[in-house]
Each structure stands twice: as structure tokens, then as C-alpha cells.
């Protein structure tokens, strides 16, 4: 799935080369948007999903009648994730990923109303979780997990693609896929978020 979404993002960048085809006359300006949906983490000792949300504020420049390119800054809370069932009884606790982001984005109209979008940048992640250092055998022969807890911040990246509908030059709704990379002191998390969004441009 992620490979297909990457291909979609790369194909979307190729649309910059297309001439304007009488599409909606987008104008430079500020925007604010919000997303809510399902976040998923399937990494290490964790495999779970939760409700996640994100919000961004930024500015886009009209580089063609159908193409806007901009910058954004915002915040994402990807929720809380439980450990895999195979670790039942092990004191792992829930994982949590949230943080601030800053990056670039684009909004490309394919018709007067339908658009595709892309975004990528820096993610300052606040990560809590546990990883298994080693497995030893107890005197009874049962596995004994040696775990390390982490609650810290780290610097990685995020990226996403989407498509949606512009009701006019000021308001749109969309469906999005965003991927967040969060590496902190031995934890290597990569939650994603499938969400619906609303955006207002002014």
C-alpha cells in the first residue's frame, strides 16, 4: 500500500509540468486545516490503532492557475497503541506518538473542483514506549523479557498524499494518508494516519 501511495505522490509531482487547462483560479494566501482519522502503529512490540488528529496553518503561493505550493507548521497526535497479544503479561505499557511538524505542501487542481495534494517535512516527535532488550530463560523454562522504557523526543520526518474536493477557492474537504517517522533512543516507530480533512483558505 505504501509503495502505491509513494507512486501516487511521485506521479502528482509530475503534474507541475502540465499547462493550465482553464482550471479554478487559485490565489496565494494563508490556509488552516484539520484532520481526524485512524492512526496505526505496527512496529516492534506494538500492533494497534487509535484515533489520531492533526492541524496545520500555513501559506501557499499560486505558481500556476491550477497549482499552489506552500509552507506549513502544525501538530499531530497519533494516539495511544497497545502491545501485541503475544506479549500479554509483559509490562510493556502503551506506546504514544505526538509532536510538532514544519514542512512544505502542494495543492494541485485536476479539474475546477477536484484536487490532489502532497506534503513532507520535519517532525519533532514526542515518543513514549518500550522495547525488548533481550529474552532470557526463567528457572521454569519460560521466556523472561528484559525491557527498556523510553519517554523522550526525537527529530525525524513526515510525508503524505491526499485528494479531495474544492467547493470554492476558500473551502475544501479531502481524504489523506500521512506517514510519520519517529526514532528515539532505541524505539523505531512509524505510525501512519488515514484521515478526512477540512481546509479553509483566506
Amino acid at each position: 500500500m505504501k509503495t502505491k501511495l509513494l507512486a501516487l505522490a511521485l506521479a502528482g509531482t509530475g503534474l507541475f509540468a502540465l499547462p493550465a487547462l482553464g482550471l479554478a483560479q487559485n490565489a496565494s494566501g494563508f490556509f488552516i486545516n484539520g484532520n481526524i482519522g485512524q492512526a496505526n502503529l505496527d512496529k516492534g512490540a506494538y500492533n494497534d490503532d487509535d484515533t489520531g488528529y492533526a492541524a496545520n496553518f500555513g501559506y501557499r503561493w499560486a505558481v500556476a492557475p491550477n497549482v499552489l505550493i506552500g509552507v506549513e507548521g502544525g501538530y499531530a497526535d497519533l494516539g495511544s497503541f497497545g502491545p501485541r497479544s503475544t506479549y500479554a503479561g509483559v509490562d510493556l505499557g502503551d506506546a504514544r506518538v505526538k509532536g510538532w511538524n514544519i514542512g512544505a505542501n502542494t495543492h494541485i487542481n485536476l479539474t475546477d473542483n477536484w484536487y490532489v495534494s502532497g506534503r513532507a517535512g520535519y517532525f519533532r516527535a514526542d515518543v513514549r514506549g518500550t522495547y525488548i532488550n533481550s529474552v532470557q530463560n526463567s528457572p521454569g523454562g519460560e521466556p523472561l523479557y528484559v525491557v527498556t522504557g523510553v519517554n523522550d523526543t526525537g527529530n525525524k520526518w513526515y510525508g503524505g498524499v491526499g485528494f479531495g474536493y474544492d467547493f470554492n477557492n476558500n473551502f475544501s474537504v479531502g481524504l489523506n494518508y500521512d506517514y510519520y517517522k519517529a526514532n528515539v533512543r532505541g524505539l523505531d516507530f512509524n505510525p501512519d494516519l488515514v484521515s478526512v480533512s477540512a481546509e479553509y483558505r483566506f
Side-chain angles (χ1 to χ4, degrees):
M1 177 180 178
K2 292 174 183 173
T3 303
K4 291 180 180 178
L5 288 165
L6 179 59
L8 175 62
L10 292 174
T13 59
L15 294 172
F16 287 113
L18 292 177
L21 300 175
L23 305 177
Q25 296 292 315
N26 289 313
S28 301
F30 289 97
F31 68 88
I32 186 169
N33 58 42
N35 301 48
I36 186 167
Q38 180 173 286
N40 177 266
L41 175 64
D42 183 6
K43 191 74 172 184
Y46 298 94
N47 183 9
D48 198 10
D49 54 62
D50 196 10
T51 299
Y53 68 87
N56 285 276
F57 176 80
Y59 189 92
R60 294 195 192 100
W61 292 267
V63 297
N66 60 321
V67 179
L68 294 166
I69 298 176
V71 294
E72 66 181 20
Y75 181 80
D77 187 332
L78 301 171
S80 183
F81 308 99
R84 299 178 188 273
S85 59
T86 52
Y87 298 111
V90 182
D91 188 20
L92 293 176
D94 288 346
R96 187 167 184 85
V97 181
K98 55 186 178 180
W100 298 92
N101 62 270
I102 185 169
N105 62 76
T106 183
H107 181 106
I108 304 171
N109 279 93
L110 304 178
T111 71
D112 283 347
N113 299 104
W114 292 100
Y115 73 87
V116 294
S117 64
R119 57 195 297 261
Y122 162 84
F123 182 49
R124 174 72 170 176
D126 183 358
V127 179
R128 183 185 71 205
T130 305
Y131 66 92
I132 298 172
N133 254 328
S134 61
V135 182
Q136 303 174 359
N137 289 324
S138 67
E142 297 296 323
L144 180 63
Y145 296 97
V146 180
V147 300
T148 297
V150 175
N151 188 356
D152 207 348
T153 56
N155 304 312
K156 281 299 180 178
W157 55 272
Y158 72 97
V161 294
F163 71 95
Y165 189 85
D166 286 328
F167 289 93
N168 50 51
N169 283 344
N170 298 107
F171 181 72
S172 62
V173 296
L175 179 65
N176 310 275
Y177 173 85
D178 293 292
Y179 179 91
Y180 294 85
K181 187 69 175 174
N183 268 10
V184 180
R185 293 176 49 207
L187 286 180
D188 183 9
F189 286 164
N190 53 359
D192 55 30
L193 175 65
V194 177
S195 65
V196 293
S197 64
E199 178 174 283
Y200 182 75
R201 295 179 290 277
F202 51 95

